[in-house]
């Protein structure tokens, strides 16, 4: 592919395709449940013929609203703009967030999808993978699985964890916060036994515990000899910044949060308040790679390490581009068939590490037959 000089890539059109894949059962976290895996394919067409294409986002009920925002508000603001002017493109989309009568978080998801596609177009125009364009720190990242959902017997839970071991991931993020700390500890022990001594474990309450339950769980796990990498979103949302800080100081465990923030000032307050050790800000919820990279720079100044909530096809490039990136995440094949099946190339996972594609942009090559099977009409 020839190199395109800045200023030579003009946005001509934006296309989308929505996908909804029914799952084999209801997946329950501490306070939520889901039965579909969804995503939106966003495609940038330029007058010069370069096309960017990504898939991102896992919103179900609001999916039609996000699509409407992309086509009715974002696309008209972007058509005719230069793809290389990523900052200008983001600023052109920002007015869609000004309406005080709707959910700004949904608008930010729409912006995230388009911003990701814009960056993919830039990478393809320059014939370079985005992790290299953004800093190129590493092309290999340790991968963990997200699992331990509720509604399973201990035997079923053991089979789930064994599947992650068989995948070759380096560890898992285990769901807690939906029952008592004592009951959650017994569930976690299953993962410890199946995973073995070298299987890294984090826990994620999805804001399900109160402060005292969190501290109790950490103490129980420590008494059981379980070494946890971090505790993610342990406490409830309505006082989380102070309580996250208290968990760090009172329980003495690294804390991860940020995925629920779609505003950069919310992450700023987490950092300045001493609330987190790891930030898992989600580029698919918080404004795309443009904003994630600002968050990463801010975290770097304060010694906070970067993670990312889900979306490995995007997050790997972001995490691999910075020196303070950590784990890239996946799900069980039954929980997220899209990640495992939507791309034509196999997932590059070996010995616990995910290797980032050296194809231009995000390196995503979508299986059109898969799209046609699950496309929302």
């Amino acid at each position: 592919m020839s190199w395109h000089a800045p200023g030579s890539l003009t946005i001509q059109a934006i296309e989308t395709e929505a996908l909804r894949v029914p799952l084999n059962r209801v997946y329950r976290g501490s306070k939520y449940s889901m039965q579909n895996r969804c995503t939106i394919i966003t495609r940038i067409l330029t007058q010069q013929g370069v096309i960017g294409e990504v898939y991102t986002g896992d919103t179900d009920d609001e999916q039609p609203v996000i699509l409407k925002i992309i086509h009715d508000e974002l696309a008209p603001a972007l058509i005719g703009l230069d793809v290389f002017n990523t900052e200008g493109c983001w600023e052109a989309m920002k007015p869609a967030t000004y309406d005080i009568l709707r959910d700004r978080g949904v608008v930010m998801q729409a912006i995230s999808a388009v911003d990701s596609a814009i960056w993919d177009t830039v990478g393809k125009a320059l014939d370079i993978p985005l992790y290299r364009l953004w800093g190129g720190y590493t092309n290999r990242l340790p991968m963990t699985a997200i699992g331990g959902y509720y509604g399973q017997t201990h035997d079923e839970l053991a089979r789930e964890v064994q599947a992650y071991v068989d995948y070759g991931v380096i560890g898992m993020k285990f769901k807690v916060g939906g029952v008592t700390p004592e009951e959650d500890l017994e569930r976690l022990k299953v993962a410890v036994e199946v995973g073995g001594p070298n299987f890294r474990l984090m826990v994620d309450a999805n804001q399900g515990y109160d402060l005292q339950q969190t501290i109790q769980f950490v103490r129980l796990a420590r008494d059981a000899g379980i070494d946890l990498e971090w505790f993610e979103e342990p406490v409830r949302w309505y006082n989380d910044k102070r309580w996250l800080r208290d968990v760090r100081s009172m329980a003495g465990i690294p804390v991860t949060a940020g995925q629920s923030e779609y505003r950069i000032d919310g992450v700023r307050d987490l950092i300045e308040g001493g609330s987190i050790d790891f930030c898992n800000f989600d580029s698919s919820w918080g404004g795309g790679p443009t904003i994630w990279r600002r968050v990463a720079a801010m975290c770097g100044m304060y010694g906070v390490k970067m993670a990312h909530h889900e979306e490995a096809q995007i997050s790997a490039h972001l995490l691999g581009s910075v020196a303070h990136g950590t784990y890239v995440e996946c799900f069980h094949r039954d929980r997220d068939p899209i990640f495992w099946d939507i791309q034509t190339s196999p997932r590059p996972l070996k010995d616990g590490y995910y290797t980032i594609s050296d194809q231009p942009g995000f390196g995503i090559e979508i299986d059109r037959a898969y799209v046609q099977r699950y496309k929302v009409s």
Side-chain angles (χ1 to χ4, degrees):
M1 180 181 295
S2 61
W3 186 87
H4 287 259
S8 65
L9 276 184
T10 307
I11 297 176
Q12 184 179 47
I14 298 176
E15 299 177 347
T16 60
E17 294 175 290
L19 272 64
R20 179 177 292 112
V21 181
L23 303 179
N24 62 346
R25 67 179 179 88
V26 176
Y27 286 81
R28 302 185 186 280
S30 60
K31 307 296 178 184
Y32 69 93
S33 63
M34 60 184 60
Q35 197 166 8
N36 298 309
R37 172 67 167 101
C38 299
T39 197
I40 294 173
I41 298 171
T42 305
R43 193 175 300 112
I44 301 286
L45 282 67
T46 65
Q47 291 180 5
Q48 292 74 20
V50 180
I51 298 174
E53 182 179 62
V54 299
Y55 71 93
T56 185
D58 190 13
T59 300
D60 194 344
D61 292 342
E62 296 83 6
Q63 193 179 69
V65 179
I66 294 171
L67 294 169
K68 182 175 174 58
I69 292 169
I70 291 174
H71 290 287
D72 291 356
E73 300 178 56
L74 304 186
L78 290 169
I79 291 172
L81 295 187
D82 171 17
V83 165
F84 283 104
N85 184 7
T86 56
E87 291 288 319
C89 288
W90 210 99
E91 289 299 310
M93 293 188 284
K94 188 190 290 185
T97 68
Y98 294 166
D99 186 343
I100 65 171
L101 299 182
R102 66 180 178 187
D103 183 350
R104 287 191 175 100
V106 174
V107 182
M108 291 296 279
Q109 290 182 55
I111 292 175
S112 300
V114 176
D115 186 69
S116 299
I118 287 171
W119 276 108
D120 187 62
T121 312
V122 169
K124 286 175 177 172
L126 299 177
D127 198 23
I128 188 172
L130 285 169
Y131 82 91
R132 291 183 59 200
L133 180 65
W134 289 329
Y137 184 74
T138 182
N139 72 335
R140 293 180 73 246
L141 292 159
M143 180 167 243
T144 57
I146 305 170
Y149 288 93
Y150 289 94
Q152 302 182 87
T153 67
H154 282 198
D155 286 343
E156 290 169 333
L157 188 57
R159 288 194 292 271
E160 179 193 351
V161 178
Q162 184 59 53
Y164 301 140
V165 175
D166 295 340
Y167 291 171
V169 296
I170 209 163
M172 74 175 291
K173 192 168 71 179
F174 191 93
K175 297 296 181 182
V176 298
V179 291
T180 66
E182 291 83 0
E183 292 171 297
D184 271 335
L185 180 68
E186 293 306 310
R187 296 174 59 252
L188 180 62
K189 286 179 178 177
V190 175
V192 173
E193 181 178 356
V194 175
N198 297 321
F199 195 68
R200 303 181 196 180
L201 286 169
M202 304 88 157
V203 290
D204 181 5
N206 293 114
Q207 303 178 338
Y209 281 151
D210 62 27
L211 176 60
Q212 294 306 317
Q213 288 173 317
T214 300
I215 294 170
Q216 183 182 7
F217 177 84
V218 174
R219 289 173 177 169
L220 289 170
R222 191 167 289 140
D223 290 344
I226 299 174
D227 184 25
L228 297 173
E229 294 270 313
W230 72 49
F231 205 140
E232 185 168 320
E233 289 198 325
V235 291
R236 297 193 180 129
W237 68 272
Y238 43 82
N239 196 25
D240 62 339
K241 292 177 177 62
R242 289 181 63 87
W243 285 339
L244 290 169
R245 178 203 63 188
D246 293 342
V247 170
R248 291 184 72 212
S249 61
M250 296 171 68
I253 188 171
V255 169
T256 300
Q259 74 177 60
S260 295
E261 302 291 343
Y262 65 86
R263 293 167 42 158
I264 195 169
D265 61 316
V267 181
R268 176 201 64 199
D269 293 346
L270 284 170
I271 297 169
E272 291 188 342
S275 302
I276 55 174
D277 300 276
F278 298 84
C279 176
N280 66 337
F281 186 74
D282 188 332
S283 66
S284 72
W285 288 357
T290 295
I291 304 302
W292 190 95
R293 295 176 69 230
R294 296 178 191 174
V295 168
M298 185 167 57
C299 287
M301 290 189 294
Y302 285 84
V304 173
K305 295 182 180 179
M306 287 305 297
H308 191 292
H309 172 243
E310 306 180 18
E311 303 291 354
Q313 74 284 356
I314 303 292
S315 68
H317 284 266
L318 291 165
L319 292 165
S321 71
V322 297
H324 56 308
T326 56
Y327 300 98
V328 64
E329 300 179 338
C330 69
F331 290 99
H332 192 283
R333 291 177 182 271
D334 292 340
R335 165 65 178 82
D336 184 10
I338 289 179
F339 169 74
W340 295 100
D341 297 333
I342 196 173
Q343 297 193 53
T344 56
S345 58
R347 303 287 66 78
L349 175 60
K350 183 178 180 181
D351 299 329
Y353 282 79
Y354 181 95
T355 300
I356 305 172
S357 171
D358 270 322
Q359 294 300 307
F362 286 109
I364 296 171
E365 298 178 1
I366 291 177
D367 184 335
R368 297 306 309 173
Y370 188 85
V371 171
Q372 290 306 312
R373 182 178 178 185
Y374 294 109
K375 185 176 178 179
V376 178
S377 59

